[in-house]
Amino acid sequence: VFMKGSPAQPLCGFSNAVVQILRLHGVEDYRAHDVLQDPDLRQGIKNYSNWPTIPQVYLNGEFVGGCDILLQMHQNGDLVEELKKLGIRSALLDAKKDQDKK
């Protein structure tokens, strides 16, 4: 994730939203790069992805999108499937299973 701030201290609402979505899915172990620390990185990642905004999310080195795309993937279930392809079981699946037992 290329973001403003860090997962422990996001410095914009969109970066915070990405961190929260990943947390909901139980994804805690990922690399985050604070683009505010390096103006060249901030512009370079925008040029690389041809995406004008930060944060930017990459799964397995492949550009996924920004906050809006990750939110959409979270809402429609695509993020669960993408994580599964990476061998990551979304924590939401377990939460749903627990809910179904009630």
Side-chain angles (χ1 to χ4, degrees):
V1 176
F2 292 85
M3 61 184 290
K4 294 177 181 175
S6 68
Q9 190 172 10
L11 296 178
C12 81
F14 298 112
S15 291
N16 184 52
V18 165
V19 169
Q20 295 307 319
I21 291 167
L22 292 173
R23 265 191 203 136
L24 279 171
H25 288 270
V27 179
E28 301 278 343
D29 186 23
Y30 58 93
R31 288 198 335 225
H33 305 276
D34 181 359
V35 300
L36 297 178
Q37 299 297 316
D38 185 346
D40 291 336
L41 175 63
R42 184 176 184 172
Q43 188 55 49
I45 199 63
K46 290 178 186 182
N47 295 344
Y48 176 79
S49 63
N50 198 26
W51 192 263
T53 59
I54 302 291
Q56 292 187 15
V57 178
Y58 290 75
L59 296 177
N60 207 25
E62 187 175 324
F63 178 63
V64 174
C67 177
D68 53 343
I69 302 295
L70 198 67
L71 179 59
Q72 182 180 20
M73 290 175 71
H74 166 67
Q75 291 172 333
N76 68 19
D78 287 348
L79 186 54
V80 169
E81 293 306 311
E82 288 301 314
L83 292 173
K84 187 189 291 185
K85 291 177 189 174
L86 300 174
I88 300 169
R89 179 176 171 81
S90 171
L92 291 182
L93 294 174
D94 297 328
K96 183 178 179 346
K97 203 186 305 179
D98 290 345
Q99 185 111 25
D100 290 346
K101 288 180 183 175
K102 293 181 182 177

XYZ file of all heavy atoms in Angstrom:
804
model
N 0.851 -1.165 0.000
C 0.000 0.000 0.000
C 0.902 1.236 0.000
O 1.792 1.360 0.841
C -0.929 0.029 1.233
C -1.748 1.304 1.267
C -1.829 -1.181 1.273
N 0.668 2.110 -0.948
C 1.314 3.415 -0.974
C 0.292 4.385 -0.415
O -0.801 4.530 -0.969
C 1.739 3.780 -2.398
C 2.846 2.898 -2.906
C 2.561 1.684 -3.492
C 4.169 3.289 -2.765
C 3.581 0.855 -3.938
C 5.194 2.472 -3.211
C 4.895 1.250 -3.801
N 0.622 4.993 0.721
C -0.369 5.764 1.450
C 0.260 7.009 2.064
O 1.476 7.193 2.016
C -0.979 4.894 2.544
C 0.036 4.399 3.581
S -0.659 3.270 4.805
C -1.708 4.383 5.735
N -0.594 7.822 2.630
C -0.136 8.979 3.394
C -0.134 8.563 4.856
O -1.173 8.238 5.415
C -1.058 10.178 3.167
C -1.014 10.688 1.744
C -1.991 11.817 1.515
C -1.929 12.284 0.056
N -2.960 13.293 -0.222
N 1.069 8.548 5.438
C 1.207 8.093 6.817
C 1.550 6.613 6.858
O 2.100 6.061 5.906
N 1.182 5.992 7.949
C 1.457 4.570 8.159
C 0.177 3.866 8.596
O -0.782 4.534 9.005
C 2.525 4.403 9.243
O 1.996 4.815 10.498
N 0.150 2.538 8.543
C -1.054 1.838 9.018
C -1.394 2.192 10.475
O -2.559 2.279 10.834
C -0.688 0.361 8.871
C 0.282 0.339 7.733
C 1.100 1.610 7.915
N -0.384 2.415 11.281
C -0.624 2.779 12.682
C -1.102 4.214 12.828
O -1.811 4.537 13.781
C 0.649 2.573 13.497
N -0.737 5.053 11.847
C -1.125 6.464 11.912
C -1.347 7.019 10.505
O -0.528 7.760 9.972
C -0.054 7.272 12.635
C -0.490 8.671 12.954
C 0.515 9.377 13.844
O 1.612 8.898 14.081
N 0.119 10.528 14.346
N -2.482 6.649 9.883
C -2.793 7.196 8.557
C -2.984 8.704 8.648
O -3.535 9.201 9.626
C -4.099 6.501 8.177
C -4.283 5.395 9.155
C -3.500 5.741 10.374
N -2.524 9.419 7.615
C -2.588 10.873 7.652
C -3.617 11.465 6.701
O -3.605 12.664 6.439
C -1.197 11.456 7.382
C -0.155 11.119 8.450
C 1.201 11.689 8.080
C -0.594 11.629 9.829
N -4.504 10.629 6.180
C -5.650 11.146 5.423
C -6.781 10.136 5.544
O -6.558 8.953 5.839
C -5.302 11.444 3.964
S -5.298 10.031 2.862
N -7.984 10.600 5.330
C -9.158 9.736 5.483
C -9.171 8.562 4.520
O -9.613 7.469 4.872
N -8.674 8.764 3.300
C -8.682 7.684 2.317
C -7.673 6.601 2.691
O -7.955 5.409 2.570
C -8.402 8.225 0.916
C -9.452 9.197 0.445
C -9.147 10.531 0.277
C -10.751 8.772 0.191
C -10.113 11.433 -0.153
C -11.722 9.657 -0.236
C -11.410 10.997 -0.402
N -6.502 7.018 3.160
C -5.511 6.042 3.619
C -6.056 5.285 4.832
O -5.897 4.062 4.937
C -4.192 6.731 3.972
O -3.562 7.234 2.807
N -6.726 5.990 5.725
C -7.328 5.349 6.889
C -8.380 4.329 6.462
O -8.449 3.226 7.016
C -7.937 6.393 7.825
C -8.482 5.767 9.082
O -7.800 5.012 9.767
N -9.736 6.065 9.388
N -9.182 4.670 5.479
C -10.222 3.752 5.009
C -9.604 2.469 4.462
O -10.102 1.365 4.739
C -11.090 4.428 3.949
N -8.524 2.589 3.699
C -7.846 1.400 3.165
C -7.337 0.520 4.304
O -7.536 -0.694 4.303
C -6.699 1.808 2.208
C -5.759 0.646 1.946
C -7.266 2.336 0.903
N -6.716 1.139 5.303
C -6.205 0.392 6.458
C -7.353 -0.323 7.167
O -7.237 -1.502 7.530
C -5.452 1.335 7.427
C -5.160 0.653 8.750
C -4.165 1.840 6.778
N -8.479 0.366 7.345
C -9.621 -0.230 8.048
C -10.223 -1.399 7.258
O -10.599 -2.413 7.835
C -10.695 0.830 8.338
C -10.246 1.909 9.291
C -9.691 1.376 10.601
O -10.219 0.432 11.185
N -8.603 1.964 11.054
N -10.307 -1.253 5.943
C -10.833 -2.346 5.115
C -9.926 -3.565 5.233
O -10.407 -4.687 5.424
C -10.981 -1.898 3.639
C -12.102 -0.872 3.511
C -11.236 -3.100 2.729
C -12.132 -0.145 2.169
N -8.631 -3.347 5.132
C -7.696 -4.474 5.257
C -7.816 -5.123 6.639
O -7.815 -6.354 6.753
C -6.264 -4.021 4.977
C -5.986 -3.613 3.525
C -4.585 -3.028 3.391
C -6.179 -4.784 2.574
N -7.969 -4.305 7.683
C -8.128 -4.842 9.044
C -9.391 -5.688 9.164
O -9.377 -6.731 9.808
C -8.209 -3.692 10.054
C -6.900 -3.384 10.650
C -6.980 -2.456 11.837
N -5.671 -1.853 11.931
C -5.425 -0.585 12.149
N -6.403 0.256 12.362
N -4.196 -0.137 12.181
N -10.478 -5.209 8.570
C -11.736 -5.970 8.613
C -11.554 -7.377 8.050
O -12.175 -8.326 8.515
C -12.824 -5.267 7.798
C -13.562 -4.126 8.459
C -14.442 -3.415 7.433
C -14.404 -4.638 9.610
N -10.689 -7.485 7.056
C -10.434 -8.780 6.419
C -9.330 -9.553 7.127
O -8.983 -10.652 6.703
C -10.092 -8.579 4.935
C -11.278 -8.184 4.126
N -12.104 -9.103 3.517
C -11.803 -6.962 3.846
C -13.075 -8.465 2.888
N -12.922 -7.168 3.079
N -8.774 -8.972 8.198
C -7.729 -9.649 8.951
C -6.354 -9.552 8.316
O -5.443 -10.285 8.688
N -6.194 -8.647 7.363
C -4.902 -8.464 6.702
C -4.109 -7.437 7.508
O -4.440 -6.252 7.503
C -5.077 -7.999 5.240
C -3.713 -7.784 4.587
C -5.913 -8.992 4.451
N -3.118 -7.917 8.226
C -2.301 -7.039 9.069
C -0.855 -6.989 8.586
O -0.146 -6.035 8.847
C -2.333 -7.538 10.519
C -3.723 -7.594 11.130
C -4.209 -6.264 11.648
O -3.389 -5.350 11.838
O -5.426 -6.137 11.864
N -0.426 -8.032 7.892
C 0.976 -8.148 7.493
C 1.128 -7.739 6.030
O 0.978 -8.564 5.132
C 1.450 -9.591 7.712
C 2.935 -9.743 7.462
O 3.666 -8.739 7.542
O 3.376 -10.870 7.169
N 1.372 -6.463 5.818
C 1.574 -5.954 4.464
C 2.569 -4.797 4.528
O 2.762 -4.190 5.578
C 0.260 -5.514 3.820
C -0.489 -4.451 4.571
C -0.311 -3.101 4.278
C -1.400 -4.787 5.571
C -1.005 -2.124 4.969
C -2.092 -3.810 6.268
C -1.891 -2.482 5.965
O -2.578 -1.518 6.652
N 3.186 -4.541 3.400
C 4.145 -3.439 3.333
C 3.400 -2.155 3.005
O 2.585 -2.121 2.090
C 5.215 -3.709 2.290
C 6.163 -4.784 2.737
C 7.470 -4.814 1.994
N 7.419 -4.258 0.665
C 7.960 -4.811 -0.404
N 8.588 -5.942 -0.299
N 7.891 -4.230 -1.576
N 3.716 -1.127 3.753
C 3.124 0.195 3.519
C 4.261 1.192 3.318
O 5.292 1.110 3.990
C 2.255 0.602 4.700
N 4.068 2.086 2.376
C 5.061 3.107 2.070
C 4.403 4.476 2.237
O 3.372 4.741 1.623
C 5.557 2.947 0.631
C 6.074 1.577 0.340
N 7.361 1.199 0.630
C 5.472 0.489 -0.191
C 7.533 -0.068 0.280
N 6.400 -0.508 -0.215
N 5.008 5.306 3.072
C 4.495 6.653 3.320
C 5.021 7.583 2.226
O 6.193 7.961 2.231
C 4.938 7.134 4.699
C 4.420 8.513 5.044
O 3.709 9.133 4.206
O 4.724 8.985 6.147
N 4.152 7.957 1.304
C 4.573 8.807 0.183
C 4.878 10.233 0.616
O 5.515 10.979 -0.129
C 3.529 8.808 -0.960
C 3.322 7.411 -1.506
C 2.214 9.422 -0.512
N 4.442 10.612 1.815
C 4.733 11.958 2.300
C 6.206 12.113 2.679
O 6.707 13.225 2.769
C 3.843 12.302 3.498
C 2.342 12.344 3.213
C 1.574 12.637 4.494
C 2.018 13.374 2.142
N 6.886 10.990 2.881
C 8.304 11.018 3.238
C 9.216 11.188 2.024
O 10.392 11.489 2.175
C 8.686 9.726 3.977
C 7.944 9.514 5.273
C 8.229 10.598 6.292
O 9.377 11.002 6.482
N 7.198 11.082 6.958
N 8.657 10.958 0.826
C 9.490 10.964 -0.380
C 8.690 11.491 -1.579
O 7.912 10.751 -2.182
C 9.988 9.546 -0.653
C 10.956 9.460 -1.809
O 11.077 10.423 -2.596
O 11.598 8.403 -1.940
N 8.871 12.767 -1.929
C 8.123 13.361 -3.047
C 8.352 12.621 -4.374
O 7.441 12.535 -5.192
C 8.649 14.789 -3.133
C 9.285 15.065 -1.812
C 9.736 13.748 -1.266
N 9.560 12.083 -4.571
C 9.835 11.331 -5.805
C 9.005 10.056 -5.854
O 8.472 9.678 -6.904
C 11.324 10.993 -5.934
C 12.181 12.225 -6.188
O 11.648 13.232 -6.713
O 13.381 12.178 -5.855
N 8.891 9.372 -4.712
C 8.063 8.165 -4.645
C 6.595 8.521 -4.881
O 5.902 7.830 -5.630
C 8.217 7.487 -3.281
C 7.323 6.272 -3.036
C 7.644 5.144 -4.011
C 7.472 5.796 -1.590
N 6.153 9.603 -4.269
C 4.753 10.031 -4.405
C 4.383 10.256 -5.873
O 3.349 9.768 -6.340
C 4.519 11.299 -3.599
C 3.087 11.758 -3.589
C 2.926 12.959 -2.692
N 1.543 13.352 -2.589
C 1.105 14.266 -1.750
N 1.927 14.864 -0.924
N -0.164 14.585 -1.715
N 5.233 10.959 -6.614
C 4.948 11.205 -8.021
C 5.239 9.963 -8.859
O 4.504 9.643 -9.792
C 5.750 12.398 -8.548
C 5.342 12.819 -9.942
C 3.851 13.119 -10.061
O 3.275 13.855 -9.256
N 3.192 12.538 -11.050
N 6.293 9.262 -8.499
C 6.693 8.080 -9.265
C 5.631 6.992 -9.265
O 5.380 6.367 -10.302
N 4.995 6.776 -8.131
C 3.977 5.717 -8.063
C 2.747 6.117 -8.871
O 2.093 5.279 -9.478
C 3.646 5.334 -6.597
C 2.970 3.963 -6.543
C 2.798 6.376 -5.906
C 3.812 2.823 -7.018
N 2.447 7.408 -8.899
C 1.327 7.890 -9.725
C 1.633 7.676 -11.203
O 0.755 7.250 -11.968
C 1.058 9.368 -9.454
C 0.481 9.656 -8.094
C 0.313 11.154 -7.918
C -0.134 11.531 -6.535
N -0.335 12.996 -6.417
N 2.867 7.959 -11.591
C 3.268 7.745 -12.988
C 3.261 6.256 -13.335
O 2.798 5.869 -14.408
C 4.663 8.327 -13.249
C 4.701 9.835 -13.105
O 3.686 10.516 -13.105
N 5.901 10.367 -12.957
N 3.778 5.439 -12.433
C 3.886 3.994 -12.654
C 2.511 3.361 -12.895
O 2.322 2.578 -13.814
C 4.578 3.334 -11.455
C 4.656 1.847 -11.532
C 5.616 1.224 -12.323
C 3.778 1.046 -10.808
C 5.694 -0.161 -12.402
C 3.850 -0.325 -10.877
C 4.807 -0.924 -11.676
O 4.874 -2.297 -11.743
N 1.550 3.732 -12.050
C 0.224 3.110 -12.122
C -0.718 3.841 -13.082
O -1.778 3.321 -13.410
C -0.426 3.106 -10.742
O -0.628 4.449 -10.306
N -0.322 5.050 -13.461
C -1.205 5.909 -14.247
C -2.510 6.163 -13.476
O -3.602 6.186 -14.049
C -1.484 5.314 -15.637
C -2.007 6.358 -16.598
O -1.740 7.543 -16.455
N -2.778 5.924 -17.574
N -2.373 6.313 -12.171
C -3.497 6.564 -11.262
C -3.168 7.842 -10.499
O -2.105 7.933 -9.883
C -3.646 5.386 -10.297
C -4.907 5.386 -9.504
C -5.064 5.842 -8.235
C -6.172 4.868 -9.900
N -6.355 5.651 -7.817
C -7.056 5.051 -8.815
C -6.655 4.279 -11.061
C -8.381 4.661 -8.870
C -7.981 3.892 -11.103
C -8.831 4.079 -10.021
N -4.045 8.840 -10.499
C -3.674 10.160 -9.997
C -3.695 10.347 -8.485
O -3.242 11.381 -7.998
C -4.718 11.074 -10.647
C -5.918 10.200 -10.791
C -5.374 8.823 -11.095
N -4.219 9.388 -7.742
C -4.420 9.631 -6.310
C -3.686 8.614 -5.439
O -3.309 7.540 -5.876
C -5.918 9.604 -5.955
O -6.454 8.320 -6.306
C -6.689 10.697 -6.685
N -3.553 8.994 -4.188
C -2.984 8.158 -3.134
C -4.100 7.994 -2.112
O -4.788 8.965 -1.834
C -1.761 8.851 -2.479
C -0.681 9.157 -3.512
C -1.207 8.040 -1.323
C 0.042 7.998 -4.104
N -4.338 6.854 -1.543
C -3.518 5.650 -1.543
C -3.669 4.821 -2.812
O -4.641 4.974 -3.557
C -4.028 4.876 -0.336
C -5.462 5.271 -0.224
C -5.502 6.715 -0.663
N -2.693 3.937 -2.985
C -2.730 2.967 -4.062
C -2.458 1.598 -3.456
O -1.527 1.428 -2.673
C -1.688 3.280 -5.130
C -1.995 4.548 -5.887
C -1.063 4.768 -7.062
O -0.353 3.877 -7.498
N -1.080 5.981 -7.578
N -3.284 0.640 -3.843
C -3.190 -0.713 -3.292
C -2.701 -1.663 -4.384
O -3.209 -1.641 -5.511
C -4.565 -1.181 -2.756
C -4.483 -2.600 -2.220
C -5.074 -0.225 -1.691
N -1.733 -2.478 -4.011
C -1.190 -3.510 -4.895
C -1.350 -4.849 -4.196
O -1.065 -4.967 -3.004
C 0.297 -3.266 -5.178
C 0.549 -2.055 -6.043
C 0.445 -0.770 -5.530
C 0.881 -2.204 -7.380
C 0.660 0.340 -6.326
C 1.102 -1.092 -8.189
C 0.993 0.166 -7.655
O 1.200 1.266 -8.453
N -1.832 -5.847 -4.912
C -1.904 -7.209 -4.395
C -0.962 -8.066 -5.225
O -1.102 -8.138 -6.449
C -3.336 -7.759 -4.485
C -4.389 -7.040 -3.650
C -5.765 -7.642 -3.889
C -4.037 -7.095 -2.168
N -0.009 -8.673 -4.539
C 0.987 -9.505 -5.209
C 1.702 -8.733 -6.321
O 1.944 -9.263 -7.402
C 0.334 -10.779 -5.739
C 1.315 -11.925 -5.831
O 2.307 -11.959 -5.117
N 1.034 -12.853 -6.712
N 1.980 -7.459 -6.069
C 2.690 -6.624 -7.021
C 1.837 -6.051 -8.134
O 2.320 -5.279 -8.955
N 0.560 -6.395 -8.159
C -0.333 -5.924 -9.224
C -1.222 -4.797 -8.702
O -1.872 -4.928 -7.665
C -1.200 -7.081 -9.720
C -2.028 -6.731 -10.918
C -2.790 -7.937 -11.459
O -2.248 -9.050 -11.423
O -3.923 -7.739 -11.907
N -1.254 -3.689 -9.444
C -2.059 -2.538 -9.044
C -3.539 -2.889 -9.050
O -4.061 -3.423 -10.025
C -1.791 -1.359 -9.988
C -2.601 -0.143 -9.681
C -2.460 0.519 -8.472
C -3.511 0.350 -10.598
C -3.214 1.652 -8.183
C -4.265 1.481 -10.325
C -4.112 2.126 -9.109
N -4.197 -2.610 -7.924
C -5.630 -2.875 -7.785
C -6.425 -1.587 -7.962
O -7.411 -1.551 -8.679
C -5.938 -3.501 -6.402
C -7.430 -3.638 -6.191
C -5.247 -4.838 -6.261
N -5.995 -0.529 -7.283
C -6.696 0.743 -7.367
C -6.501 1.531 -6.098
O -5.657 1.208 -5.270
N -7.325 2.540 -5.947
C -7.268 3.389 -4.777
C -8.337 3.008 -3.762
O -8.924 1.922 -3.823
N -8.614 3.917 -2.871
C -9.587 3.686 -1.806
C -10.955 3.323 -2.367
O -11.597 2.388 -1.882
C -9.669 4.941 -0.936
S -10.896 4.838 0.367
N -11.393 4.051 -3.386
C -12.728 3.812 -3.939
C -12.855 2.402 -4.520
O -13.864 1.722 -4.317
C -13.080 4.855 -4.989
C -12.028 4.999 -6.080
O -10.880 4.536 -5.889
O -12.334 5.594 -7.128
N -11.820 1.947 -5.197
C -11.846 0.608 -5.791
C -11.822 -0.456 -4.694
O -12.576 -1.437 -4.741
C -10.654 0.396 -6.754
C -10.660 1.442 -7.861
C -10.639 -1.026 -7.303
C -11.828 1.385 -8.804
N -10.960 -0.263 -3.686
C -10.885 -1.244 -2.598
C -12.214 -1.303 -1.847
O -12.678 -2.388 -1.497
C -9.734 -0.902 -1.655
C -9.293 -2.066 -0.766
C -8.652 -3.172 -1.597
C -8.355 -1.604 0.318
N -12.836 -0.162 -1.631
C -14.137 -0.126 -0.955
C -15.186 -0.877 -1.767
O -15.961 -1.668 -1.232
C -14.572 1.316 -0.709
C -15.928 1.500 -0.021
C -15.954 0.816 1.336
C -16.260 2.976 0.111
N -15.200 -0.638 -3.060
C -16.138 -1.338 -3.942
C -15.894 -2.850 -3.899
O -16.841 -3.637 -3.809
C -15.992 -0.805 -5.358
C -16.939 -1.410 -6.359
C -16.720 -0.828 -7.763
O -15.666 -0.271 -8.062
N -17.720 -0.963 -8.599
N -14.627 -3.258 -3.951
C -14.294 -4.684 -3.893
C -14.721 -5.288 -2.559
O -15.186 -6.424 -2.507
C -12.791 -4.887 -4.100
C -12.317 -4.606 -5.505
S -10.529 -4.720 -5.651
C -10.285 -6.488 -5.486
N -14.568 -4.518 -1.486
C -14.995 -4.973 -0.161
C -16.511 -5.162 -0.141
O -17.012 -6.188 0.315
C -14.558 -3.950 0.891
C -15.213 -4.117 2.215
N -14.986 -5.205 3.021
C -16.108 -3.330 2.868
C -15.717 -5.075 4.126
N -16.398 -3.951 4.045
N -17.231 -4.197 -0.683
C -18.696 -4.240 -0.641
C -19.282 -5.343 -1.512
O -20.292 -5.945 -1.153
C -19.270 -2.881 -1.052
C -19.000 -1.804 -0.022
C -19.379 -0.412 -0.486
O -19.387 -0.111 -1.677
N -19.678 0.460 0.468
N -18.672 -5.614 -2.658
C -19.267 -6.619 -3.554
C -18.678 -8.015 -3.390
O -19.069 -8.941 -4.103
C -19.202 -6.157 -5.014
C -17.799 -6.100 -5.575
O -16.869 -6.707 -5.057
N -17.634 -5.359 -6.660
N -17.732 -8.187 -2.449
C -17.179 -9.506 -2.176
C -15.948 -9.867 -2.997
O -15.336 -10.909 -2.763
N -15.581 -9.015 -3.945
C -14.411 -9.327 -4.775
C -13.115 -9.364 -3.970
O -12.205 -10.129 -4.305
C -14.256 -8.305 -5.907
C -15.305 -8.474 -6.999
O -16.014 -9.504 -7.004
O -15.414 -7.559 -7.848
N -13.022 -8.579 -2.910
C -11.788 -8.557 -2.133
C -11.559 -9.903 -1.449
O -10.431 -10.394 -1.397
C -11.802 -7.418 -1.111
C -10.505 -7.197 -0.341
C -9.307 -7.025 -1.272
C -10.633 -5.996 0.586
N -12.618 -10.533 -0.965
C -12.499 -11.864 -0.364
C -11.891 -12.833 -1.377
O -10.985 -13.608 -1.057
C -13.871 -12.374 0.126
C -13.811 -13.843 0.508
C -14.365 -11.535 1.298
N -12.379 -12.759 -2.606
C -11.889 -13.657 -3.665
C -10.440 -13.351 -4.041
O -9.642 -14.271 -4.250
C -12.784 -13.568 -4.904
C -14.188 -14.104 -4.677
C -14.199 -15.529 -4.141
O -13.482 -16.391 -4.719
O -14.892 -15.785 -3.142
N -10.094 -12.070 -4.132
C -8.718 -11.702 -4.476
C -7.748 -12.139 -3.381
O -6.646 -12.604 -3.669
C -8.602 -10.194 -4.736
C -9.248 -9.753 -6.026
C -8.667 -10.438 -7.259
O -7.432 -10.526 -7.382
O -9.467 -10.891 -8.097
N -8.154 -11.985 -2.140
C -7.312 -12.428 -1.032
C -7.142 -13.943 -1.066
O -6.050 -14.460 -0.817
C -7.900 -11.977 0.309
C -7.873 -10.472 0.569
C -8.638 -10.139 1.843
C -6.452 -9.941 0.635
N -8.219 -14.647 -1.380
C -8.160 -16.114 -1.463
C -7.121 -16.553 -2.496
O -6.376 -17.508 -2.268
C -9.529 -16.679 -1.825
C -9.601 -18.209 -1.766
C -10.887 -18.768 -2.327
C -12.071 -18.458 -1.471
N -13.310 -19.102 -1.973
N -7.047 -15.842 -3.620
C -6.057 -16.158 -4.659
C -4.629 -16.035 -4.130
O -3.722 -16.676 -4.640
C -6.226 -15.232 -5.875
C -7.481 -15.479 -6.671
C -7.577 -14.470 -7.801
C -8.910 -14.533 -8.508
N -9.054 -13.454 -9.502
N -4.451 -15.185 -3.117
C -3.133 -14.982 -2.521
C -2.892 -15.908 -1.335
O -1.877 -15.811 -0.657
C -2.988 -13.528 -2.055
C -3.114 -12.459 -3.132
C -3.102 -11.081 -2.504
C -1.988 -12.586 -4.140
N -3.860 -16.794 -1.082
C -3.730 -17.708 0.042
C -4.093 -17.082 1.371
O -3.698 -17.574 2.426
N -4.856 -15.998 1.329
C -5.273 -15.298 2.554
C -6.772 -15.503 2.738
O -7.566 -15.177 1.870
C -4.959 -13.789 2.462
C -3.456 -13.574 2.265
C -5.470 -13.054 3.693
C -3.093 -12.147 1.908
N -7.135 -16.065 3.879
C -8.550 -16.247 4.193
C -9.052 -14.985 4.898
O -8.537 -14.603 5.945
C -8.746 -17.463 5.080
C -10.195 -17.698 5.457
C -10.360 -18.976 6.256
N -11.688 -19.089 6.796
C -12.741 -19.512 6.123
N -12.603 -19.860 4.861
N -13.930 -19.598 6.680
N -10.056 -14.365 4.315
C -10.615 -13.153 4.902
C -11.252 -13.465 6.254
O -12.005 -14.429 6.395
C -11.679 -12.558 3.972
O -12.362 -11.511 4.638
N -10.966 -12.633 7.228
C -11.565 -12.776 8.557
C -13.077 -12.590 8.491
O -13.800 -13.070 9.364
C -10.948 -11.768 9.511
N -13.568 -11.933 7.461
C -15.015 -11.742 7.331
C -15.735 -13.066 7.097
O -16.895 -13.207 7.485
C -15.332 -10.764 6.202
C -14.939 -9.316 6.448
C -15.360 -8.443 5.285
C -15.531 -8.795 7.741
N -15.059 -14.025 6.493
C -15.688 -15.338 6.298
C -15.945 -16.009 7.638
O -16.993 -16.613 7.839
C -14.802 -16.233 5.418
C -14.638 -15.774 3.975
C -13.627 -16.656 3.264
C -15.972 -15.792 3.246
N -14.987 -15.889 8.552
C -15.157 -16.472 9.883
C -16.203 -15.708 10.678
O -16.990 -16.300 11.401
C -13.823 -16.485 10.630
C -12.806 -17.366 9.924
O -13.210 -18.365 9.300
O -11.599 -17.041 9.990
N -16.228 -14.406 10.530
C -17.219 -13.587 11.230
C -18.624 -13.943 10.746
O -19.556 -14.038 11.542
C -16.939 -12.109 11.007
N -18.780 -14.172 9.435
C -20.075 -14.541 8.889
C -20.505 -15.913 9.402
O -21.654 -16.115 9.769
C -20.036 -14.537 7.361
C -21.365 -14.849 6.707
C -21.277 -14.780 5.201
C -22.551 -15.095 4.472
N -23.638 -15.703 5.159
N -19.544 -16.837 9.489
C -19.842 -18.174 9.982
C -20.324 -18.113 11.424
O -21.289 -18.762 11.807
C -18.585 -19.054 9.877
C -18.886 -20.530 9.829
C -17.637 -21.398 9.870
C -16.644 -21.056 8.804
N -15.428 -21.891 8.875
N -19.639 -17.283 12.240
C -20.039 -17.115 13.646
C -21.428 -16.503 13.733
O -22.238 -16.892 14.577
C -19.045 -16.231 14.387
C -17.700 -16.903 14.598
O -17.628 -18.152 14.426
O -16.720 -16.205 14.901
N -21.727 -15.560 12.853
C -23.039 -14.902 12.844
C -24.127 -15.911 12.473
O -25.217 -15.894 13.038
C -23.030 -13.757 11.838
C -24.295 -12.948 11.839
C -24.040 -11.571 12.400
O -22.925 -11.087 12.352
N -25.055 -10.945 12.925
N -23.830 -16.781 11.511
C -24.807 -17.773 11.067
C -25.147 -18.768 12.183
O -26.242 -19.321 12.208
C -24.286 -18.532 9.842
C -24.228 -17.659 8.596
O -24.829 -16.557 8.616
O -23.557 -18.047 7.625
N -24.213 -18.993 13.112
C -24.454 -19.938 14.202
C -25.421 -19.386 15.228
O -26.020 -20.128 15.975
C -23.121 -20.281 14.898
C -22.222 -21.154 14.062
C -20.929 -21.437 14.816
C -19.983 -22.250 13.965
N -18.693 -22.436 14.641
N -25.563 -18.060 15.272
C -26.427 -17.427 16.287
C -27.878 -17.525 15.934
O -28.321 -17.679 14.874
C -26.028 -15.963 16.476
C -24.662 -15.832 17.098
C -24.321 -14.380 17.282
C -22.920 -14.288 17.876
N -22.486 -12.945 18.035
